[in-house]
Amino acid sequence: MFETLQPEGWVKPIGYANGIAAEGTLIFVGGQIGWNANAEFETDDFAAQTRQTLENIVAVLKAGGAGPEHVTSMTWYVTDKAEYLANLKGVGAAYRDTMGKNFPAMALVQVAALVEDRAKVEIQAFAVKPR
């Protein structure tokens, strides 16, 4: 389905890939946040919002006939890097429970704010569904 790209001599990253090569149908998942299907926040907990955000991504993928194993790239936007780092254990558990052992190319960016005031994390994802 896809190939992880790891330049020779580079230290292997933990929890993400430096690059992915893939062929198939592209699925672009718009930025998802930690609210439910009714666009309502159920929590202000960072790890719980991350879990809901990832579940939202999986729901969009499913609508396109794909799953978390097809994700090739993710960009994470967080409003507070320190809060993200303080919640790594919970974020990691949410990621493993939702996305499995798929570690796509990733970036994380701290932003001043997200459009929804209660949102602490927004994730945009790209996937490639095999033909």
Side-chain angles (χ1 to χ4, degrees), residues 25-106:
T25 301
L26 300 177
I27 297 175
F28 301 91
V29 181
Q32 298 297 307
I33 59 175
W35 61 17
N36 63 27
N38 295 315
E40 299 169 343
F41 287 95
E42 297 176 2
T43 182
D44 289 317
D45 177 76
F46 190 92
Q49 278 199 17
T50 300
R51 180 178 297 276
Q52 182 65 59
T53 300
L54 294 167
E55 289 173 357
N56 294 345
I57 290 169
V58 170
V60 173
L61 292 170
K62 185 177 178 183
E69 70 276 14
H70 300 119
V71 174
T72 56
S73 178
M74 301 174 96
T75 303
W76 296 51
Y77 303 93
V78 299
T79 57
D80 186 340
K81 182 181 96 171
E83 187 175 18
Y84 166 81
L85 292 172
N87 285 279
L88 280 179
K89 187 174 182 178
V91 168
Y95 187 90
R96 287 186 303 278
D97 292 348
T98 310
M99 303 298 290
K101 292 188 177 197
N102 179 32
F103 302 109
M106 286 194 221

Side-chain angles (χ1 to χ4, degrees), residues 2-7 10-13 15-22 71-74 102-107:
F2 63 82
E3 173 189 2
T4 300
L5 305 176
Q6 178 65 21
W10 282 28
V11 174
K12 185 175 179 187
Y16 68 95
N18 285 306
I20 300 286
V71 174
T72 56
S73 178
M74 301 174 96
N102 179 32
F103 302 109
M106 286 194 221

